[in-house]
Amino acid sequence: MFYFIDEILNSITMYRLVLYYLIALVGIALAFCFFGLLPFNPIDLLFSTLLLTVVCWITNKVFARIFNVPANVESVYISALILALIVTPVKPPQDVMFLVWIAIWAMASKYILAIKGKHLFNPAAFAVALTALTINQTASWWVGTAPMLPFVIIGGILMVRKIRRFDLVFSFLFTALAVTLAFSLANHQSLVTVLQQTVLYSPLFFFASVILTEPLTAPHTNRLQIIYGAIVGLLFSPQFHIGAFYVTPELAILIGNVFAYIVSPKAKLLLELKNRVQIAPDVYDFIFTPNQKLSFAAGQYMEWTLGHSNPDSRGNRRYFTLASSPTEKELIVGVKFYPNSSTFKTSMLSMDGNSEIVAAQLAGDFVLPADPQQKCVFIAGGIGITPFRSMIKYMLDTRQKRPAVLFYSNKNVADILYKDVFDKAQQQLGLKTVYTLTGAARVPAAWKGYVGHINRQMIKQEVPDYMHCIFYLSGPNAMVEDFEDVLSQMNVRKDQIKKDYFPGFA
């Protein structure tokens, strides 16, 4: 069941899933309005949604042209739909200017309130907070109602499963509920009533799955995400206040955004293509010259935005792991191309020396352990080798003789990538590389490696002390999950397993 769900989720980018989720919620809300389950006129809700969408689209186009950056249409629609779900629908012409004002500021905040090209605040939350301060009108967060709750939760679980942010969401929910109940006990309120109000008649779950998890304004490592969730959860509690000042949901996330900005990487790079090198029949290395020095840890990933005309349903953003080492001047990403590739990859393949791409949102916990004596086992399939190329090149350049073994699985010999780096690491650092081919019909007679999929017998034979190792898994999602099961059967603890996963994997 979960495998089937994951297969569907993996075929959709994160931003596209968010968009579908929000469209579904607005559609369900329209039906509920028609049948009297929500206290709004369906025409008013439809008008408000369309007006917010049009104004957001126009405003974003204008600012994108002024600041000369690629306009992301998906984020425009996402912000507009979030506003439609948290701002009470208006009856035209009443309060039309309020919707126009809030939509303009939601988009403008991404460009005006940005440092080094990175915006600080969740656009919808900032717009709502600003209108509350300037014209004394704010959001009702009406999506947080009992009729909408089942759909909010089901879609929210799919969203969080897609982006693997369960620790962040659980941290937020636990803290928000704990603080709310603690205040209720202190004020001698009915815990059952307070819990019912918090769960059934507040935007708790919508806020957690949509607002809190926005990648651009959240921290980018697991530990910091847990702290971030706890901070926002504390402030989200309706009873939390400083004197006579009570914190609203939008203020809670804005304060959390400030924390996230302080502790997160700030880089947003405009990169020029220096070279494109074919390194396998369907894999290319793209080598970029950054306009500034990027500090990162070997194995991390970035979000890449490539403006191109008529993008398909997967949009103009992707997440790619950096194949380059922090010691190298250029940034390298290895990209695998499939038949009938997306418009993003088609445009990427046609890039030339005058082409530019935007790289931002440096993130990831898939990095070398702090202890250089910790033994590691790297397991890669196909293009999943890119983070290990980054790590091993870094080890070579810094002359770190870490105890590590690399298992690398491919269908054919021609698919093996970066062998020169791994061979050099074996000579200079003693790093063992174990190759295996799964395309048994095409194994050359001179092949000296393994044949078949990496399995427990292979691991036990090459790494007898595997119980003391940290395992790094990188490759297609199905492969990673299969290896996780294999390691679990070998009694390897979950905290000994790291997986290369990033939002928007599709």
Side-chain angles (χ1 to χ4, degrees):
M1 176 66 176
F2 287 122
Y3 176 79
F4 177 71
I5 292 173
D6 284 337
E7 284 299 299
I8 295 175
L9 294 179
N10 287 335
S11 67
I12 308 171
T13 63
M14 178 198 69
Y15 296 105
R16 186 61 48 145
L17 179 62
V18 176
L19 183 59
Y20 291 160
Y21 172 52
L22 296 174
I23 290 172
L25 288 182
V26 171
I28 292 165
L30 283 169
F32 283 171
C33 291
F34 182 81
F35 290 106
L37 296 175
L38 289 175
F40 310 123
N41 185 315
I43 302 299
D44 295 344
L45 175 56
L46 183 60
F47 169 80
S48 298
T49 303
L50 292 176
L51 179 62
L52 287 166
T53 302
V54 170
V55 176
C56 283
W57 186 87
I58 293 173
T59 306
N60 191 70
K61 276 283 188 182
V62 170
F63 276 96
R65 178 159 295 187
I66 292 172
F67 286 86
N68 193 30
V69 295
N72 193 289
V73 177
E74 283 177 332
S75 66
V76 173
Y77 296 147
I78 288 169
S79 295
L81 291 171
I82 290 173
L83 290 173
L85 289 163
I86 67 176
V87 176
T88 302
V90 303
K91 186 183 295 293
Q94 178 185 356
D95 286 333
V96 166
M97 289 310 299
F98 166 56
L99 291 186
V100 172
W101 179 251
I102 205 170
I104 289 174
W105 273 109
M107 294 297 100
S109 68
K110 297 194 301 179
Y111 299 91
I112 297 174
L113 297 177
I115 300 177
K116 295 183 179 179
K118 177 182 171 67
H119 65 267
L120 277 69
F121 301 116
N122 179 286
F126 175 80
V128 168
L130 183 66
T131 54
L133 291 173
T134 55
I135 58 177
N136 200 31
Q137 286 184 277
T138 188
S140 61
W141 294 86
W142 63 265
V143 68
T145 53
M148 296 292 293
L149 184 62
F151 305 97
V152 168
I153 290 179
I154 292 171
I157 290 173
L158 293 178
M159 292 254 303
V160 178
R161 185 177 181 84
K162 167 71 176 178
I163 61 176
R164 304 296 198 270
R165 292 290 185 266
F166 283 107
D167 288 345
L168 166 61
V169 171
F170 287 154
S171 172
F172 165 78
L173 291 176
F174 176 81
T175 305
L177 290 172
V179 172
T180 299
L181 294 177
F183 272 110
S184 302
L185 282 172
N187 295 326
H188 306 291
Q189 296 174 307
S190 168
L191 294 183
V192 174
T193 301
V194 170
L195 192 60
Q196 185 181 46
Q197 289 292 326
T198 303
V199 172
L200 297 180
Y201 300 101
S202 86
L204 180 72
F205 295 103
F206 178 82
F207 185 94
S209 59
V210 176
I211 307 296
L212 182 73
T213 57
E214 188 206 10
L216 290 174
T217 53
H220 300 140
T221 64
N222 186 257
R223 182 180 65 85
L224 292 174
Q225 286 169 6
I226 292 172
I227 297 172
Y228 172 68
I231 291 172
V232 179
L234 169 67
L235 299 172
F236 183 87
S237 173
Q239 294 101 325
F240 184 85
H241 62 95
I242 302 173
F245 178 76
Y246 283 79
V247 180
T248 59
E250 56 270 21
L251 289 178
I253 196 65
L254 295 182
I255 295 170
N257 291 162
V258 173
F259 166 79
Y261 183 82
I262 292 171
V263 300
S264 298
K266 314 300 188 295
K268 185 171 184 179
L269 308 177
L270 182 63
L271 304 175
E272 293 183 354
L273 181 66
K274 179 179 180 180
N275 199 5
R276 180 181 65 246
V277 181
Q278 186 170 8
I279 56 176
D282 53 4
V283 179
Y284 288 80
D285 262 352
F286 289 81
I287 304 169
F288 297 98
T289 303
N291 59 349
Q292 64 186 73
K293 175 66 176 175
L294 176 67
S295 297
F296 65 97
Q300 290 190 302
Y301 64 86
M302 297 186 78
E303 181 189 68
W304 303 75
T305 303
L306 179 61
H308 60 283
S309 59
N310 302 316
D312 61 16
S313 62
R314 295 182 62 188
N316 64 355
R317 290 188 280 191
R318 291 291 186 280
Y319 287 86
F320 294 126
T321 300
L322 293 168
S324 50
S325 163
T327 55
E328 295 177 291
K329 292 181 179 180
E330 287 82 22
L331 297 182
I332 305 171
V333 290
V335 182
K336 184 178 179 65
F337 290 82
Y338 299 90
N340 302 316
S341 288
S342 64
T343 57
F344 181 99
K345 285 194 174 180
T346 302
S347 298
M348 194 172 188
L349 194 57
S350 65
M351 292 177 72
D352 56 29
N354 297 318
S355 300
E356 294 179 335
I357 193 169
V358 176
Q361 204 178 325
L362 176 67
D365 293 303
F366 198 77
V367 297
L368 291 166
D371 181 5
Q373 301 305 315
Q374 171 63 57
K375 187 165 187 178
C376 302
V377 177
F378 304 145
I379 300 179
I383 195 63
I385 194 65
T386 52
F388 300 129
R389 192 272 180 196
S390 175
M391 293 177 186
I392 293 170
K393 185 66 168 71
Y394 176 75
M395 290 161 57
L396 273 169
D397 291 345
T398 56
R399 299 180 182 178
Q400 292 187 29
K401 290 190 176 182
R402 290 173 177 261
V405 177
L406 169 65
F407 289 85
Y408 187 16
S409 171
N410 285 283
K411 285 186 178 181
N412 310 300
V413 173
D415 297 324
I416 296 175
L417 309 176
Y418 311 123
K419 190 174 184 297
D420 57 331
V421 175
F422 307 141
D423 287 349
K424 188 175 180 181
Q426 188 161 350
Q427 295 167 4
Q428 296 186 8
L429 305 178
L431 180 133
K432 180 195 288 187
T433 302
V434 180
Y435 296 100
T436 183
L437 300 181
T438 58
R442 301 181 184 178
V443 176
W447 177 250
K448 297 181 180 180
Y450 284 94
V451 175
H453 295 282
I454 302 169
N455 53 41
R456 69 178 74 181
Q457 290 76 23
M458 197 183 298
I459 294 173
K460 288 180 179 179
Q461 181 173 333
E462 299 292 343
V463 193
D465 58 344
Y466 68 90
M467 289 295 291
H468 304 289
C469 300
I470 293 180
F471 286 80
Y472 289 72
L473 311 179
S474 178
N477 194 58
M479 186 211 86
V480 170
E481 291 186 351
D482 287 345
F483 273 119
E484 195 173 14
D485 291 339
V486 168
L487 294 175
S488 177
Q489 293 166 13
M490 294 171 65
N491 297 316
V492 175
R493 301 189 315 272
K494 283 191 174 183
D495 62 355
Q496 290 176 257
I497 302 173
K498 284 179 171 287
K499 296 178 290 184
D500 187 25
Y501 188 86
F502 39 81
F505 182 86

